[in-house]
Amino acid sequence: MAKPSIIKIRSSRRVEIIDITEGAARAISESGMGEGICVLQSLHTTAALTINESADPDVRRDMERHLALLDPRDPSFLHAEGNSDSHIKTSLFGPSLTLVVSGGRPVLGTWQAIYFCEFDGPRERSVVVKCVEG
C-alpha cells in the first residue's frame, strides 16, 4: 500500500479559501490508483477542507464574508492565542474529506472544486492525501 502524500499550501491572508483541486488530483494520480477512495486531511486545528462551487470566485468571497459575520474574531473568547473563532470555523467545516476516485481522478461535479479553508493565516499548511484502491 502506497504511503500518504502531502500537499503543501501557503496562505496569504488570515481567512482564505484556497482551491487545491489540482494538487489533490496530482497526488491521486501519483498514487497510481485507478479506482477507489481518497481521504484528504488537514493537519491543523485552525484550517479545514470543503467541496464547493468553482465557477464563480464570488462564492468563496461570500463564504469568507459570511463566516466573519457568523463567527467574528472576539476578544472576549477565553483561548489565550486569540484565535478561538478559527477553531470554531474549522469544527463547522471539518478537517477531512473523502473522495471517490475513478479513472485515476477525483469524481467531482461539473462546478465542484476542493478547497483548503485557512482560518488563522497567513501560514504554511499541510494536507495529507491517502488513497485506498477498491
Side-chain angles (χ1 to χ4, degrees):
M1 194 174 292
K3 291 176 61 172
S5 58
I6 304 283
I7 300 171
K8 294 288 188 183
I9 298 134
R10 166 58 79 186
S11 62
S12 60
R13 299 188 314 270
R14 182 164 194 274
V15 175
E16 183 177 8
I17 299 174
I18 302 166
D19 187 337
I20 62 165
T21 307
E22 285 309 311
R26 186 171 35 262
I28 291 167
S29 175
E30 290 172 358
S31 78
M33 182 183 69
E35 306 290 323
I37 60 169
C38 185
V39 176
L40 282 68
Q41 181 175 324
S42 167
L43 297 180
H44 311 282
T45 61
T46 58
L49 297 168
T50 194
I51 294 175
N52 214 305
E53 180 175 330
S54 63
D56 183 353
D58 285 339
V59 171
R60 284 187 276 172
R61 288 190 280 273
D62 288 343
M63 289 172 55
E64 291 171 5
R65 193 178 81 242
H66 192 74
L67 284 168
L69 296 171
L70 179 68
D71 181 25
R73 196 169 194 181
D74 185 343
S76 70
F77 283 136
L78 301 177
H79 182 46
E81 291 181 24
N83 62 353
S84 284
D85 64 306
S86 303
H87 292 285
I88 293 166
K89 289 172 183 128
T90 297
S91 291
L92 291 172
F93 277 72
S96 65
L97 295 173
T98 302
L99 305 173
V100 173
V101 175
S102 184
R105 303 263 317 149
V107 176
L108 295 168
T110 302
W111 308 113
Q112 289 183 319
I114 303 163
Y115 292 105
F116 179 84
C117 304
E118 173 66 76
F119 299 127
D120 195 29
R123 295 178 188 245
E124 184 166 315
R125 302 294 200 156
S126 300
V127 172
V128 173
V129 180
K130 177 63 177 171
C131 297
V132 180
E133 191 99 30

